[in-house]
Amino acid sequence: MKKHLHICITIVTAFLSNGFAQQGKIVSADKKYDNYAYIDAIKTYQRVAEKGYKSEDLFKKLGNSFYFNSEFEKAGKWYGELFAMNTEIEPEYYYRYAQCLKAAGDTAKANQMLDLFNQKSKNDKRAKLYEANKNYLEKIKANSGRYTIENAALNSKYSDYGTAIYENKIIFASARDTGNFNQRIHKWTGEHFTNLYQADIDEKFNPGAAKKFKSKINTKFHESTPIFTKDGKTVYFTRNNYINGKKGKDENKITLVKIYKATFENNQWSNITELPFDSNNYSTAHPALSPDEKTLYFASDMPGSMGQSDLYKSTINANGQFGTPENLGPGINTEGKESFPYVTDQNEIYFASDGHPGLGGLDVFVGKLDQNGVTNIQNVGADINSPKDDFAYIIDTKTRRGFFSSNKDGGKGSDDIYQFLERIPLICVQELYGTITDLTTGEVLPNTKLSLYSDNLKIIATTYSDSNGNYTFPVECGTMYFVRAEKEKYYTKEENITIPKENGKTELSIALEKSDCVVTIGDDLGKCFGIKMIYFDLDKSNIRTEAALDLEKILDVLNQYPKMKLDIRSHTDSRATYKYNEALSDRRAKSTIQWLIKNGITPDRLTGKGYGETQLVNKCSDGVPCTEEEHQMNRRSEFIITAL
């Protein structure tokens, strides 16, 4: 993407005089480069390079000038010259060169450079992500083929990007206004400064003719990426550090970008103010609102950022004041650029990044927002993403229609807006369903309690079978669950199941056995109530996951019969020495007792002893060859009723 004002938050705007003395000299080009006038710097550097002058500094700055304008293939040419002179340079150039190689289609060499980047940057999040996702291209391929995409009819031959929906209109930034005498040219990109434009859209998000957004929001400098509140009375937007006719600058005399707020009063946008966490010395940009409009998300390179730009959030209090910005953390932010957040009513955050593994330049990613921050980050696929910059993704979650921006090949301008329909959701959706029946008669069992547990035994949901004995649970793909079925006069039963990794439905029907047991002293509670023996791993005394589920059934019975007492008898297989097995089984008995005590059973109701290998249930004594499954039968705990 050529307009780095709207991509990286280190974006600046250089307001320079038209003439530079001594064109063709390195010192002149360096001054332009240092003032972010990359278009002019490129012209000078290229003249010098074409005359045969070579230096690492020249190739770095020439490559960077193209790279910061997202002309990756041109940048790759000069980074290639740099690496031809010296391969022992700063690790960042390995990463930038890899991004350029991806843009040129040389993925194999790009991955070689990323391997070297990983070796030289062990603490860089981008290196760690690459190392952990060597198969990232396969994952991107798996997420592709889900969209119908077309170039939006409103695009011009100039830069058009960054959309928002407002009163059945699309509002976007464009550099198409070239006729205004006061409209300046941005030295970074060589294009005119952007203003906000609008176009009507129909129910399929097809835009009509574009026209300028008539408002005091537009100035002679950059405006972009607005977000409107649902009532249409407030807008947040990105603009150069310029308000009330005054231009602010940082300590290096550079004008950065800020987020501004305006309100709609008396049929016009007014009361334009900067947000309280804005600063002259760092950039804030690309605001997004949470669905409840109580949180503002944005991008910034403020102090404390991990990379070139990070994603942040700030609470919006009832009185309209803003909380202290919070970095969204290392789950989403890298040493690269994270920008253009968009938050949906499904707790998703879409964003653009060149730090997470992608196809080159900025790619669009999506993650889940939860109490742990941002999790399950995925590349949305090669329909949206390309080897160039792809960003500013917004979607209507009901129609699955939306817009994104890109400078991918085949567009009308340097950046174009694309409209899309997401036909297949990225997040895999599964439904777990089944029928509860009587084991003997096959009769359906309505009103059976079903409990869904995670693989670490945390309860997720509870439901009851309907009049036809049917139940359903929404579940996640590729995840293992435990399902417990409970009904009066039937043995409680649990089943585990692993959900497939594709969209669809998974059946788990459960047949329950009637409970005709009358407990008496001396009975084995496990046999009476259909409870499995409590199994242990070889040479271990800790409670296994499936064992804890069975212990919960023991716990339930003890709670139903408050006078019941148990003698817990633990056993081992015949492997290891007699003395060791006796000690191991005793530890297992104590481990089982402690679990029950921890969960509310008083110690006076429990006794226990380890019997080692003295009470084997099969032939597997010392010297007898047995399978692991046969040995497993001997590693057990039993529950003998001693009082009622």
Side-chain angles (χ1 to χ4, degrees):
M1 176 180 61
K2 294 184 178 179
K3 305 299 155 296
H4 270 256
L5 168 102
H6 48 274
I7 292 288
C8 57
I9 295 313
T10 53
I11 297 170
V12 297
T13 308
F15 306 100
L16 304 176
S17 60
N18 293 326
F20 279 92
Q22 300 178 350
Q23 290 289 331
K25 295 183 179 180
I26 291 291
V27 64
S28 174
D30 286 346
K31 287 180 179 178
K32 298 169 186 174
Y33 180 91
D34 292 340
N35 283 283
Y36 305 96
Y38 293 124
I39 297 301
D40 289 339
I42 286 171
K43 295 176 184 177
T44 306
Y45 285 138
Q46 281 188 312
R47 291 193 192 103
V48 173
E50 288 168 359
K51 291 181 180 180
Y53 181 82
K54 296 183 178 181
S55 77
E56 289 182 28
D57 187 66
L58 170 66
F59 293 144
K60 285 179 181 178
K61 290 178 177 176
L62 190 47
N64 289 343
S65 296
F66 282 115
Y67 187 85
F68 296 150
N69 271 300
S70 298
E71 296 189 69
F72 298 122
E73 293 182 52
K74 293 180 180 179
K77 171 186 175 181
W78 299 108
Y79 288 148
E81 294 286 348
L82 171 64
F83 277 91
M85 291 188 68
N86 183 8
T87 58
E88 294 302 320
I89 54 179
E90 299 97 312
E92 184 65 26
Y93 285 94
Y94 290 83
Y95 192 83
R96 291 178 186 172
Y97 191 28
Q99 295 289 84
C100 295
L101 290 167
K102 287 182 184 180
D106 194 346
T107 303
K109 189 173 181 180
N111 288 342
Q112 291 176 8
M113 298 304 294
L114 287 172
D115 285 328
L116 292 170
F117 175 70
N118 183 41
Q119 294 174 19
K120 297 174 181 293
S121 305
K122 290 298 184 181
N123 293 322
D124 193 295
K125 176 71 179 295
R126 295 169 296 177
K128 293 178 180 178
L129 285 170
Y130 169 72
E131 183 65 23
N133 296 276
K134 286 292 188 71
N135 63 337
Y136 70 96
L137 290 175
E138 295 176 16
K139 293 181 179 179
I140 293 173
K141 183 179 180 181
N143 290 344
S144 303
R146 303 182 299 108
Y147 290 88
T148 298
I149 296 173
E150 56 183 310
N151 193 296
L154 52 73
N155 287 308
S156 68
K157 65 179 180 179
Y158 301 98
S159 182
D160 304 289
Y161 69 93
T163 55
I165 304 299
Y166 169 63
E167 293 186 343
N168 297 319
K169 295 179 176 61
I170 178 176
I171 313 297
F172 63 99
S174 178
R176 68 184 66 193
D177 187 0
T178 61
N180 188 333
F181 177 77
N182 292 323
Q183 196 71 9
R184 302 188 180 200
I185 292 178
H186 189 204
K187 295 288 186 175
W188 182 308
T189 65
E191 285 197 342
H192 288 78
F193 283 73
T194 60
N195 282 153
L196 297 184
Y197 281 73
Q198 67 182 45
D200 293 331
I201 55 173
D202 62 19
E203 68 279 0
K204 294 185 178 180
F205 280 29
N206 295 309
K211 58 183 179 181
K212 204 164 188 178
F213 188 65
K214 297 296 183 181
S215 167
K216 293 180 180 179
I217 290 174
N218 283 328
T219 66
K220 57 186 177 181
F221 300 122
H222 280 295
E223 284 81 31
S224 70
T225 55
I227 184 72
F228 296 84
T229 55
K230 294 173 185 175
D231 63 9
K233 295 181 179 179
T234 303
V235 62
Y236 302 92
F237 62 96
T238 307
R239 181 199 279 174
N240 288 127
N241 185 355
Y242 178 79
I243 191 169
N244 298 325
K246 296 181 180 180
K247 173 164 55 72
K249 297 182 179 181
D250 68 4
E251 56 191 17
N252 295 316
K253 307 300 182 183
I254 300 298
T255 297
L256 305 177
V257 292
K258 292 182 176 182
I259 298 173
Y260 292 86
K261 174 184 176 181
T263 55
F264 195 70
E265 298 178 8
N266 299 320
N267 206 34
Q268 64 178 348
W269 290 102
S270 58
N271 301 321
I272 298 174
T273 58
E274 63 180 80
L275 298 191
F277 47 76
D278 285 339
S279 171
N280 290 343
N281 295 314
Y282 58 78
S283 289
T284 56
H286 316 315
L289 284 168
S290 61
D292 63 7
E293 300 184 349
K294 294 180 180 180
T295 305
L296 185 78
Y297 294 84
F298 61 96
S300 179
D301 61 348
M302 65 176 59
S305 297
M306 292 180 57
Q308 299 165 46
S309 67
D310 282 10
L311 296 180
Y312 287 82
K313 67 178 180 179
S314 174
T315 56
I316 305 174
N317 300 319
N319 60 6
Q321 294 183 342
F322 288 83
T324 302
E326 298 177 44
N327 191 296
L328 293 192
I332 188 170
N333 290 318
T334 70
E335 285 80 357
K337 297 189 289 285
E338 278 70 48
S339 194
F340 294 96
Y342 182 78
V343 178
T344 74
D345 56 5
Q346 297 178 345
N347 292 323
E348 299 167 320
I349 180 168
Y350 290 88
F351 64 100
S353 171
D354 66 0
H356 292 265
L359 296 177
L362 288 168
D363 274 21
V364 175
F365 295 83
V366 61
K368 274 288 185 181
L369 285 167
D370 57 32
Q371 65 273 18
N372 298 318
V374 183
T375 59
N376 192 30
I377 291 174
Q378 297 187 65
N379 187 298
V380 300
D383 308 309
I384 300 293
N385 293 319
S386 70
K388 301 298 177 64
D389 280 328
D390 311 285
F391 56 100
Y393 180 107
I394 68 171
I395 186 171
D396 176 73
T397 57
K398 294 179 177 61
T399 65
R400 308 309 294 178
R401 295 183 183 276
F403 299 95
F404 73 99
S405 304
S406 177
N407 69 338
K408 64 176 65 181
D409 295 338
K412 296 179 182 178
S414 52
D415 290 317
D416 275 12
I417 296 168
Y418 292 82
Q419 61 190 96
F420 66 78
L421 169 64
E422 185 189 52
R423 305 185 315 276
I424 303 170
L426 173 62
I427 304 301
C428 183
V429 177
Q430 269 274 352
E431 178 184 308
L432 178 62
Y433 74 100
T435 305
I436 310 303
T437 59
D438 183 291
L439 178 63
T440 304
T441 66
E443 179 185 359
V444 298
L445 298 179
N447 204 37
T448 302
K449 182 180 178 181
L450 284 306
S451 300
L452 182 70
Y453 289 85
S454 66
D455 60 354
N456 60 357
L457 301 183
K458 292 184 178 179
I459 189 164
I460 299 171
T462 299
T463 190
Y464 288 85
S465 59
D466 63 18
S467 59
N468 296 314
N470 298 322
Y471 77 94
T472 62
F473 285 115
V475 291
E476 294 184 12
C477 302
T479 304
M480 189 185 81
Y481 295 93
F482 291 93
V483 179
R484 174 186 294 178
E486 300 173 83
K487 189 171 180 62
E488 188 178 357
K489 297 183 181 180
Y490 283 85
Y491 292 131
T492 297
K493 188 174 183 180
E494 278 111 8
E495 298 280 359
N496 64 57
I497 188 166
T498 298
I499 307 301
K501 294 183 178 180
E502 63 269 359
N503 292 296
K505 296 183 177 182
T506 300
E507 182 181 7
L508 177 62
S509 293
I510 301 175
L512 297 182
E513 183 180 1
K514 277 191 174 180
S515 172
D516 298 320
C517 178
V518 178
V519 293
T520 61
I521 294 173
D523 286 342
D524 183 343
L525 185 61
K527 292 180 180 178
C528 183
F529 285 90
I531 297 170
K532 298 175 183 178
M533 296 176 184
I534 305 301
Y535 293 121
F536 295 90
D537 288 322
L538 175 62
D539 203 31
K540 301 292 184 182
S541 61
N542 55 295
I543 301 298
R544 285 182 8 181
T545 300
E546 58 268 39
L549 276 175
D550 284 337
L551 281 177
E552 285 194 6
K553 289 189 282 187
I554 297 289
L555 180 65
D556 183 59
V557 173
L558 287 169
N559 287 329
Q560 291 182 48
Y561 297 86
K563 294 183 180 181
M564 180 183 286
K565 294 184 179 182
L566 294 179
D567 183 42
I568 298 170
R569 302 173 183 180
S570 183
H571 307 267
T572 69
D573 60 33
S574 62
R575 291 176 288 186
T577 66
Y578 178 91
K579 183 177 181 180
Y580 178 83
N581 283 335
E582 185 177 34
L584 176 61
S585 65
D586 201 55
R587 292 198 301 273
R588 288 176 172 174
K590 291 178 180 177
S591 177
T592 305
I593 291 171
Q594 287 303 313
W595 190 96
L596 291 168
I597 292 173
K598 181 181 178 182
N599 285 276
I601 303 303
T602 57
D604 63 331
R605 298 176 63 190
L606 304 170
T607 58
K609 178 182 177 182
Y611 290 84
E613 59 184 90
T614 63
Q615 296 184 12
L616 302 177
V617 298
N618 53 27
K619 64 178 181 178
C620 300
S621 58
D622 290 338
V624 177
C626 288
T627 65
E628 178 59 33
E629 290 75 15
E630 289 172 319
H631 282 302
Q632 175 82 338
M633 295 298 298
N634 291 312
R635 300 194 298 271
R636 68 196 191 278
S637 288
E638 298 169 324
F639 301 85
I640 307 303
I641 300 170
T642 60
L644 279 174

